[in-house]
Amino acid sequence: MKLLSTLAALTLITAAGTAHAADPNAGRNLAATCANCHGTNGHAIAGSGLDALAGVEKTKTLQKLADFKSGVKPASIMHQIAKGYTDEQLDLIATYFAAQK
């Protein structure tokens, strides 16, 4: 019985991890929080003074996010926001914005 319980628990854990990784909308859903400042789908409002994120090369976005997260790049709020995401989540966000036109 104990073996069956352990096996069931491991199966659920594996399935949960696979389901999360397979979510095709994960990047979009995470990136939605950026819309408040950077515009819908990363299209910043002209004259807002904020960077557009749509179409920016993934590595460039990831570097900026890493700099905010580490505190190297000063910011009023981005350093706090970036610290709230894992590196995997930041990668999904950067991938999503790089694909936007």
Side-chain angles (χ1 to χ4, degrees), residues 30 69 78-87 89-90:
L30 290 167
K69 193 171 184 176
M78 274 305 302
H79 62 286
Q80 295 170 359
I81 293 171
K83 286 179 184 178
Y85 292 104
T86 65
D87 291 339
Q89 290 172 321
L90 293 176

Side-chain angles (χ1 to χ4, degrees), residues 40-95:
T40 303
N41 297 325
H43 296 283
I45 297 171
S48 69
L50 295 169
D51 294 340
L53 302 176
V56 175
E57 186 180 327
K58 177 182 172 178
T59 55
K60 184 176 179 181
T61 300
L62 281 174
Q63 184 60 56
K64 281 187 176 183
L65 289 168
D67 290 346
F68 284 129
K69 193 171 184 176
S70 70
V72 169
K73 186 170 177 68
S76 58
I77 194 165
M78 274 305 302
H79 62 286
Q80 295 170 359
I81 293 171
K83 286 179 184 178
Y85 292 104
T86 65
D87 291 339
E88 292 79 18
Q89 290 172 321
L90 293 176
D91 187 74
L92 286 170
I93 292 168
T95 300

Side-chain angles (χ1 to χ4, degrees), residues 4 10 24-30 46-47 49 61 84 88 101:
L4 183 59
L10 288 173
N25 296 316
R28 181 196 69 184
N29 294 343
L30 290 167
T61 300
E88 292 79 18
K101 302 292 179 211

Side-chain angles (χ1 to χ4, degrees), residues 18-43:
T18 304
H20 177 69
D23 182 359
N25 296 316
R28 181 196 69 184
N29 294 343
L30 290 167
T33 60
C34 306
N36 290 331
C37 298
H38 294 280
T40 303
N41 297 325
H43 296 283

